[in-house]
Amino acid sequence: MSRLNQLMELLPSYGLDGMVINPGPSQAYLLGVHFYLFERPIVLLVAPDRRPALILPLLEVTKAESAPADLELFPYADNPATWPAAFQAAGRYLGWDQKPALSLGVEVDRLRLLESRFLEAALPQARLAAINPVAQMRMHKDETEIASLRRAVAIAEAGLTAALPLVKVGMTERDLSAEIGLQTGRAGSEVPGNPMVAAGPNGANPHAATSERPLQPGDLVVIDFGAVYAGYCADLTRTLAVGEPPAEYARIHQVVLEANTAGRAAARPGVSAGEIDRAARAVITAAGYGPYFTHRTGHGLGSEPHEEPYIYAENALPLEPGMVFTVEPGIYLPGRAGARVEDDVLITSTGAETLSSMNRALIVVG
């Protein structure tokens, strides 16, 4: 069954008359082609009982016709005055204009005010609901998706491995980030990216901005890196030490490594996403660093580097085969240093498989 047909069958069970999907990973997942989100609307409308409608500018018709999906196209010209007619025509085609009430699911982080206004004008009886069956579909990866994720992980690890011999005292965070990106691109990543490199006190910020700070002896260096293959993302973190680190820095890395191991060991079908977080967090709390682990333990991976399932303590979602997510506990000592170890994990029918295999121990360089 095609992904579009699967979505069409799911809609009634979610209490939806249809789904509105803007350009982005979900639209590409359903259509098999990628459209960019720009100033001209490109909106996919899916109903349970009609061929899906795609509202798009004329210049994108050729791409739409190449999609491996059976679509009804509603093109418009560049003059914005012509755009409302395309939304109205699509609504009529789907029979939505005849419904006295209409519940349409949307991706709240994708649908803009631009498209919302056109939908409201064409279908004033519509209620836009923050209900997204596509996210549930995307959580369960098929064999092709899993193979792409495996390859992305291998590329990311090859990129960092190639860059490590070049690390030396005095090079800047930005220089190291650029080198990792270059090596990852050479290894086959579609998007070499901009790895986060955070040294010394900058490493105490889990989402630090890579800076011109030079690497210094005794630094811990948190490197959050990844790769993209066939549109699927790897997301990994390893921590380096520039020379021999202070004893406490070595200690926090060891605690983080043990927390990572505990989180991955807890992963299997049927356990909740929250249990992974609690398993990792318990190790850090027992070591006395609980207040310094300031974020969730992980997030889903796929055509986005952050997607469902989210691995936080209160999430009761049962893990199921085909789900892929990160396990990335960290400890962050304000103004001093940080450490994080992140791996990518696949839930299988019998347990869990860690897709990443690069050395997790503290890597001493320089």
Side-chain angles (χ1 to χ4, degrees), residues 166-182:
L166 305 174
V167 179
K168 60 184 179 181
V169 172
M171 77 184 306
T172 67
E173 293 175 350
R174 200 177 307 281
D175 287 342
L176 179 52
S177 174
E179 189 62 47
I180 297 167
L182 174 65

Side-chain angles (χ1 to χ4, degrees), residues 256-296:
V256 166
L257 177 56
E258 291 170 6
N260 169 284
T261 301
R264 290 186 293 112
R268 59 186 182 277
V271 307
S272 71
E275 289 180 66
I276 310 303
D277 181 279
R278 293 193 294 273
R281 197 169 301 277
V283 173
I284 293 175
T285 299
Y289 291 100
Y292 304 103
F293 179 16
T294 54
H295 55 76
R296 65 195 175 197

Side-chain angles (χ1 to χ4, degrees), residues 63-136:
K63 182 188 286 188
E65 290 175 340
S66 73
D70 189 14
L71 303 170
E72 189 74 21
L73 303 183
F74 293 87
Y76 57 79
D78 278 346
N79 182 354
T82 67
W83 300 358
F87 281 81
Q88 292 162 5
R92 285 195 300 271
Y93 158 74
L94 293 168
W96 288 352
D97 61 326
Q98 300 301 311
K99 292 182 177 287
L102 193 63
S103 180
L104 302 177
V106 302
E107 295 181 297
V108 294
D109 57 347
R110 293 285 173 184
L111 192 69
R112 303 176 297 185
L113 190 61
L114 173 69
E115 292 84 4
S116 298
R117 288 288 187 256
F118 283 116
L119 287 165
E120 290 166 357
L123 300 161
Q125 79 281 30
R127 179 182 67 90
L128 302 182
I131 302 173
N132 182 12
V134 187
Q136 303 301 310

Side-chain angles (χ1 to χ4, degrees), residues 14-322:
Y14 282 82
L16 295 173
D17 297 297
M19 187 86 193
V20 179
I21 304 167
N22 246 18
S26 288
Q27 196 184 86
Y29 174 84
L30 294 168
L31 296 182
V33 295
H34 176 73
F35 291 99
Y36 292 98
L37 185 67
F38 64 160
E39 71 274 12
R40 302 178 182 97
I42 303 177
V43 183
L44 176 65
L45 305 177
V46 183
D49 53 357
R50 299 286 178 91
R51 189 163 65 247
L54 184 64
I55 301 166
L56 73 172
L58 282 166
L59 82 163
E60 297 283 14
V61 166
T62 299
K63 182 188 286 188
E65 290 175 340
S66 73
D70 189 14
L71 303 170
E72 189 74 21
L73 303 183
F74 293 87
Y76 57 79
D78 278 346
N79 182 354
T82 67
W83 300 358
F87 281 81
Q88 292 162 5
R92 285 195 300 271
Y93 158 74
L94 293 168
W96 288 352
D97 61 326
Q98 300 301 311
K99 292 182 177 287
L102 193 63
S103 180
L104 302 177
V106 302
E107 295 181 297
V108 294
D109 57 347
R110 293 285 173 184
L111 192 69
R112 303 176 297 185
L113 190 61
L114 173 69
E115 292 84 4
S116 298
R117 288 288 187 256
F118 283 116
L119 287 165
E120 290 166 357
L123 300 161
Q125 79 281 30
R127 179 182 67 90
L128 302 182
I131 302 173
N132 182 12
V134 187
Q136 303 301 310
M137 294 168 58
R138 286 173 52 193
M139 271 200 295
H140 298 84
K141 273 62 180 182
D142 62 26
E143 288 304 317
T144 299
E145 293 175 291
I146 292 168
S148 296
L149 286 164
R150 289 186 194 281
R151 182 61 183 146
V153 168
I155 290 169
E157 293 184 331
L160 181 58
T161 299
L164 286 177
L166 305 174
V167 179
K168 60 184 179 181
V169 172
M171 77 184 306
T172 67
E173 293 175 350
R174 200 177 307 281
D175 287 342
L176 179 52
S177 174
E179 189 62 47
I180 297 167
L182 174 65
Q183 296 298 337
T184 304
R186 286 177 172 170
S189 179
E190 295 166 1
V191 182
N194 183 26
M196 187 198 87
V197 176
N202 292 343
N205 179 353
H207 278 176
T210 299
S211 75
E212 294 293 342
R213 182 188 184 279
L215 306 190
Q216 300 174 18
D219 277 350
L220 291 187
V221 186
V222 179
I223 300 177
D224 193 332
F225 62 106
V228 180
Y229 181 80
Y232 284 79
C233 306
D235 186 11
L236 303 167
T237 304
R238 292 294 183 265
T239 301
L240 316 182
V242 182
E244 287 302 319
E248 186 176 18
Y249 293 2
R251 168 66 176 153
I252 65 170
H253 184 274
Q254 181 60 33
V255 172
V256 166
L257 177 56
E258 291 170 6
N260 169 284
T261 301
R264 290 186 293 112
R268 59 186 182 277
V271 307
S272 71
E275 289 180 66
I276 310 303
D277 181 279
R278 293 193 294 273
R281 197 169 301 277
V283 173
I284 293 175
T285 299
Y289 291 100
Y292 304 103
F293 179 16
T294 54
H295 55 76
R296 65 195 175 197
T297 292
H299 53 80
L301 275 178
S303 51
E304 290 183 279
H306 285 205
E307 59 183 52
E308 296 188 41
Y310 296 109
I311 311 300
Y312 59 94
E314 299 79 14
N315 191 353
L317 177 76
L319 298 177
E320 297 177 350

